[in-house]
Amino acid sequence: MAAPLLIVGTGLAGYALLRAVRQVDRHREICMIDADAAAAYSKSQLPDGLARGRDAGELVIATAEQMAYRFEATITPHRRALVLDPVRRILRTDNPAQAEQPWSQLVLATGAEAIRPANVRGSGAAAILTVGSLAEYAYLRTQLAGRRRVAVIGGGIAACELAESFKRGGCEVVLLELGSHLLGRACPALCGQRVAEALAAAGVRVRLEDRAQRIDHGMHDFELTTLGGHTLPVDVVVAALGTRPRMQLARAAGLDVAGGIVVDHGLRTSAEGIFALGACAELDGRLFALREDIENAAHVLADVLGGHATRMRWRPRTLQLNLECCPVAICEPPPVAGEWHESATARGVRALFHDLSGALRGFALVGEPAGEAGRLLARVMH
């Protein structure tokens, strides 16, 4: 009997691939494992869930059992992948009943893990939380019970969304960003400054060019001391510094890794029969960050697994930030040489990224100009 298709990970990428494979093949044996509960949920809904005070269970779209039944797959939650053997086509897990899982083709959809802040000292430093999964979300909700003062570390997209969500949920929020403006990696300075102004107007205290230096236990709360010497009494500290691809399994197996697990346009890794998909994968020096790209790649991979010569191609996408205080639309430019051109009015900021030939390759729009996203994306696509 042929070994199954084995998918490691049941996040957005893993379940997108399961659905895509079932669209083209209803009979192939598929096994999936995940270290967590393997529930299907949308990670983009976590900030809004905090704002609305929703329990983790309310964000679950389908349980592992429901996904297994609907898509006729074997899904094993709470199962850790330990060692990948590309030669024998075996995955060793922590399953005492079956430590070695054979596979005919294997897909690494291990996602990414939240980055924790470095060099934070103090007795309370270990209490810094992250919100990179439904399990972490559930734990954060327990820590927020009866508490209102929240410090968010970071100034990127996730940090801004979290800070506003906490504020909408009734918390007192301070946002600490070491850089000189928010959204530093995604947008030029004027865009970040306008977002900071909007968050401040919504009641979030924004502290730029400052960071948490130490966190100490107080009598009933924490004392957060910043690099600038300010002491802030807080109840909960959450880090939102972005994510890092999970590629330990691939690296230990000798697969090519860089910023992520390196794949070609067919999502193949450097080892025959092994593929990577989603936030753990890197294609053309770029990581998969947007849902649309991951779902498109899942359909490509489903065809490739079936023996077809389909290729993944990057397409310009618009990301709409989940901010009620200020509409923001970003089309991240590809990794090419070029420069940003910004213009600002009282109604918002318009930033366009042109390559060296003058072609529009990306944009960032804050405030009223965010309504131009569709028109500008059409120009980028051409």
Side-chain angles (χ1 to χ4, degrees):
M1 184 176 179
L5 165 65
L6 178 59
I7 303 173
V8 182
T10 60
L12 168 60
Y15 278 143
L17 179 61
L18 176 62
R19 289 189 291 268
V21 171
R22 282 295 179 242
Q23 288 178 10
V24 297
D25 188 341
R26 295 297 307 179
H27 304 291
R28 181 170 189 182
E29 183 182 2
I30 302 175
C31 294
M32 305 181 72
I33 68 169
D34 195 278
D36 291 328
Y41 68 98
S42 174
K43 194 173 288 188
S44 64
Q45 293 302 308
L46 299 184
D48 187 66
L50 289 171
R52 298 175 185 272
R54 302 177 69 187
D55 291 332
E58 298 179 70
L59 303 182
V60 172
I61 299 169
T63 64
E65 293 79 8
Q66 290 169 332
M67 292 295 290
Y69 176 79
R70 179 178 178 183
F71 294 101
E72 300 179 68
T74 300
I75 301 175
T76 306
H78 307 297
R79 184 68 65 232
R80 293 188 180 278
L82 302 178
V83 179
L84 174 58
D85 187 337
V87 177
R88 296 176 57 212
R89 297 204 172 196
I90 292 292
L91 178 70
R92 294 177 187 166
T93 72
D94 62 356
N95 183 358
Q98 183 184 1
E100 293 190 344
Q101 170 69 58
W103 48 269
S104 58
Q105 294 172 310
L106 180 139
V107 179
L108 295 170
T110 48
E113 58 191 354
I115 297 173
R116 298 185 62 82
N119 303 320
V120 177
R121 303 188 299 274
S123 61
I128 297 175
L129 305 179
T130 57
V131 199
S133 68
L134 192 63
E136 291 184 342
Y137 174 92
Y139 183 73
L140 172 60
R141 287 271 299 143
T142 66
Q143 296 303 297
L144 283 172
R147 301 179 175 95
R148 292 174 48 84
R149 297 170 300 177
V150 179
V152 178
I153 301 174
I157 292 172
C160 293
E161 291 180 341
L162 270 179
E164 192 204 44
S165 295
F166 282 127
K167 185 61 185 177
R168 286 167 50 206
C171 294
E172 300 173 13
V173 186
V174 59
L175 180 64
L176 298 168
E177 163 56 17
L178 185 58
S180 60
H181 64 276
L182 300 181
L183 306 178
R185 294 182 180 179
C187 299
L190 286 180
C191 293
Q193 291 169 7
R194 192 61 59 91
V195 170
E197 293 169 4
L199 285 172
V204 176
R205 288 186 292 159
V206 179
R207 299 188 65 88
L208 298 174
E209 299 183 317
D210 208 355
R211 68 169 176 83
Q213 186 174 37
R214 63 180 298 122
I215 300 172
D216 293 293
H217 286 284
M219 185 68 71
H220 302 290
D221 55 13
F222 294 105
E223 287 189 354
L224 187 154
T225 304
T226 73
L227 188 65
H230 301 278
T231 300
L232 308 173
V234 296
D235 299 312
V236 177
V237 183
V238 181
L241 297 168
T243 59
R244 180 184 297 112
R246 291 192 184 96
M247 49 188 180
Q248 299 93 328
L249 195 65
R251 181 186 287 112
L255 276 61
D256 289 346
V257 298
I261 304 171
V262 178
V263 297
D264 64 12
H265 287 264
L267 288 308
R268 304 173 189 86
T269 69
S270 57
E272 184 178 355
I274 301 179
F275 306 80
L277 177 70
C280 67
E282 175 186 328
L283 172 64
D284 294 336
R286 297 176 64 178
L287 299 174
F288 288 82
L290 300 183
R291 168 182 287 272
E292 294 87 347
D293 288 325
I294 293 173
E295 291 180 341
N296 181 41
H299 286 283
V300 170
L301 182 51
D303 285 343
V304 170
L305 293 172
H308 302 285
T310 313
R311 290 173 57 84
M312 168 68 192
R313 291 181 173 83
W314 293 109
R315 299 175 183 174
R317 310 280 189 189
T318 300
L319 173 64
Q320 304 280 350
L321 271 62
N322 293 321
L323 291 176
E324 290 193 359
C325 66
C326 180
V328 180
I330 299 173
C331 174
E332 182 183 358
V336 298
E339 60 181 357
W340 287 98
H341 301 272
E342 295 180 276
S343 59
T345 68
R347 296 184 175 182
V349 180
R350 191 171 183 263
L352 306 180
F353 183 89
H354 294 91
D355 64 20
L356 297 182
S357 71
L360 180 65
R361 305 301 297 274
F363 56 79
L365 310 171
V366 180
E368 188 175 286
E372 304 176 33
R375 178 178 62 82
L376 288 172
L377 184 64
R379 284 178 53 191
V380 173
M381 295 179 73
H382 288 87

